[in-house]
Amino acid sequence: MPVSALRSLLARTLCILALVLLSVRPAAAQSILRDAETEALLDEMAAPLIRAAGLEPGNVDLVLINDGSVNAFVAGGQAVYIHSGLIAEADNALEVQGVIAHELGHITGGHVIGFGDGAKAAGNISILSLILGVAAAAAGGGEAAMGVIAAGQQAAMGKFLAFTRGQESAADLAGAKYLAGADLSGRGSLDFFRKLQNLEHRSGYYADSSDTFYRTHPLSRDRIETLRTVYERDDAWDKPADPDIERRFQRMKAKLYGYLAPPEQVLIAYPEYVDTVPARYARAYSRHRQALFDKSVAEADALLADAPDDPYFLELKGQILLEAGQAEAALDPLRRAVSLTGNQPLIATLFGHALLATEDAAHHAEAERVLRAAVAVDRLNPQAWYQLGRIYAERGDLPRARLASAETKMMTGDPMSALQNAQAAEAALPTGTPDWLRAQDIALQARDAIERKRKRD
């Protein structure tokens, strides 16, 4: 067997194994979308399902990923990642709740941990086939060597994909159990699987045996047939959706669409003549992105005319004013939004930004108080730490400015800068104080991140 051919087969096998390993870290290169209203609603939608799964709602995170594909996944720990494309595709809240229930099935089933076992078993077959193939090549059997290695690759892939299909089926049944425990109808889940089935057909996936062999998930047709029987037996099958959750979901969906979709598509989905709350919400964000100040303010004012104490409409108005350079005018709506939400950290961060943007030092004390309260609740908020760092730097408190910068750099994926800032802060802060201890913690985290990156590279 020629050396070049053997190398080619080795490369193919290693590529397959690399793809398997990469698939357990799907969130690494994707950006997270953070929005106070969206996070509050997703948490509320998931809470009964999380309790039905035997978990604590406060210990499970719902994370929105800026990705237009229709997908959701878990990637270790107790976190469910939902693509923005899935929200856009869903017609109602029950469909998303069906997806969340399925992903909770992966968490309670320990599937991310078990994923490594499946990959290892497949890898063992593939590695064994390589060893046998090399032995055959050394004995002069080039054709036999290629056959052994190719068969080993096929067996490894088949074993691994069968393993993942088994996990998906188990998560489907667990999700059905959690929907029943939360007293939520499975109609939304079935409707969403029908959407997936339509996507499969558009992508050329059909129920023939060769196609099924290479799939990581069972066919949606088969999943629908299995789950329909389970759902229809449940007492909640004919229960209507919660009207308040549904109303808020349509608002959230429109808001995200206005923020993410091309403006011309937003106007097709939510034309000018439609004056519903979701339509105005979508157009307000879309026009703000286009820097159409008067039109975006008009939409925000129309929303506030009907609901003057809605904190998220106030947040929208404040954001439009702030980003149009009218920081002073943004203070009142943002201050009210912070008060109405009990100092919600994302809105408080925006308010702190507005206070600093006025360039009036008289606002610094209020900004510091608001921002410190925000990071006390949500430490993983790089924008809040950045604004705090600005306050510390402007008043000459460089050690705490460096500490805030270390927090920011660690969260934005720059461990080397985080380490440098943490070390500088630790050297200048009073020994034994909470800030000094935090600087040490960040330095340890940064060193660990640098070492892990070095090993990966």
Side-chain angles (χ1 to χ4, degrees):
M1 180 182 188
V3 173
S4 59
L6 186 56
R7 283 177 176 168
S8 175
L9 283 168
L10 270 167
R12 286 173 56 199
T13 302
L14 291 172
C15 283
I16 291 170
L17 292 174
L19 288 170
V20 167
L21 293 172
L22 284 172
S23 66
V24 303
R25 291 191 305 235
Q30 296 166 306
S31 62
I32 293 173
L33 286 172
R34 299 216 55 196
D35 173 69
E37 180 178 17
T38 301
E39 290 180 4
L41 178 58
L42 287 175
D43 286 345
E44 191 168 336
M45 288 168 57
L49 295 164
I50 294 169
R51 284 190 287 267
L55 304 172
E56 289 295 326
N59 295 334
V60 179
D61 294 320
L62 279 294
V63 182
L64 186 64
I65 300 291
N66 184 9
D67 190 309
S69 60
V70 181
N71 194 23
F73 59 89
V74 296
Q78 294 187 11
V80 175
Y81 297 85
I82 301 172
H83 284 200
S84 57
L86 188 148
I87 300 293
E89 186 71 22
D91 289 327
N92 53 61
L94 277 175
E95 291 185 10
V96 177
Q97 286 173 307
V99 173
I100 293 171
H102 170 89
E103 298 304 328
L104 289 171
H106 282 305
I107 292 175
T108 57
H111 291 170
V112 173
I113 299 170
F115 188 96
D117 296 333
K120 181 180 178 182
N124 287 342
I125 292 176
S126 193
I127 291 167
L128 179 60
S129 73
L130 283 172
I131 294 170
L132 294 174
V134 170
E143 294 294 330
M146 294 183 70
V148 168
I149 293 174
Q153 289 179 340
Q154 183 88 344
M157 187 58 71
K159 186 175 183 66
F160 176 73
L161 294 177
F163 175 81
T164 63
R165 290 194 296 271
Q167 285 193 333
E168 292 300 325
S169 296
D172 284 347
L173 294 176
K177 177 183 175 183
Y178 303 151
L179 284 166
D183 200 27
L184 293 170
S185 173
R187 289 181 184 274
S189 175
L190 287 183
D191 288 343
F192 201 79
F193 275 124
R194 292 187 185 101
K195 284 186 172 66
L196 295 180
Q197 189 175 36
N198 289 334
L199 290 172
E200 286 172 353
H201 290 170
R202 274 184 265 165
S203 300
Y205 287 109
Y206 297 96
D208 61 71
S209 59
S210 61
D211 172 64
T212 304
F213 179 86
Y214 287 106
R215 293 179 61 86
T216 58
H217 290 54
L219 283 165
S220 294
R221 182 203 64 188
D222 298 336
R223 301 169 87 173
I224 290 168
E225 290 175 358
T226 300
L227 288 173
R228 182 190 292 115
T229 304
V230 177
Y231 287 140
E232 288 179 351
R233 288 201 301 260
D234 185 60
D235 292 340
W237 173 249
D238 291 317
K239 183 179 177 180
D242 183 316
D244 182 61
I245 291 287
E246 186 57 33
R247 175 187 62 81
R248 290 162 59 198
F249 175 79
Q250 295 303 331
R251 243 176 77 157
M252 176 195 77
K253 178 179 175 178
K255 178 182 191 176
L256 289 172
Y257 195 74
Y259 181 73
L260 296 171
E264 61 275 13
Q265 292 184 16
V266 175
L267 284 179
I268 292 172
Y270 301 98
E272 298 268 9
Y273 59 82
V274 178
D275 61 359
T276 61
V277 168
R280 288 195 182 280
Y281 221 7
R283 292 197 301 265
Y285 274 96
S286 180
R287 286 164 169 169
H288 176 51
R289 287 168 53 219
Q290 293 175 279
L292 300 175
F293 175 76
D294 290 341
K295 289 186 175 183
S296 59
V297 167
E299 298 286 9
D301 284 342
L303 291 168
L304 284 166
D306 291 334
D309 292 325
D310 188 302
Y312 305 117
F313 295 163
L314 289 165
E315 178 194 19
L316 168 63
K317 177 72 175 288
Q319 182 178 352
I320 293 169
L321 291 168
L322 172 62
E323 294 176 4
Q326 300 184 28
E328 196 70 47
L331 296 185
D332 179 62
L334 290 176
R335 186 179 281 113
R336 289 176 59 206
V338 169
S339 175
L340 288 165
T341 57
N343 207 57
Q344 202 286 334
L346 295 177
I347 300 176
T349 299
L350 188 64
F351 179 42
H353 181 190
L355 288 164
L356 290 175
T358 63
E359 299 184 350
D360 183 349
H363 290 311
H364 283 193
E366 183 180 13
E368 181 180 0
R369 183 173 67 254
V370 167
L371 291 167
R372 287 191 72 88
V375 296
V377 175
D378 180 10
R379 290 197 69 85
L380 301 178
N381 188 338
Q383 187 58 227
W385 284 112
Y386 172 75
Q387 301 298 340
L388 268 175
R390 286 182 57 196
I391 294 172
Y392 294 142
E394 287 185 23
R395 75 176 184 214
D397 188 350
L398 295 183
R400 285 179 176 78
R402 298 296 294 267
L403 178 59
S405 181
E407 296 274 12
T408 303
K409 296 296 184 182
M410 196 66 212
M411 280 180 273
T412 53
D414 187 356
M416 185 59 71
S417 295
L419 177 60
Q420 292 167 353
N421 280 285
Q423 288 174 328
E426 182 185 349
L429 287 165
T431 302
T433 61
D435 285 339
W436 180 83
L437 293 171
R438 180 58 188 160
Q440 284 194 325
D441 289 344
I442 296 173
L444 287 171
Q445 292 171 17
R447 289 190 188 96
D448 181 61
I450 292 167
E451 179 62 18
R452 281 189 282 109
K453 183 178 184 302
R454 185 190 66 78
K455 289 180 178 178
R456 286 199 304 270
D457 293 343

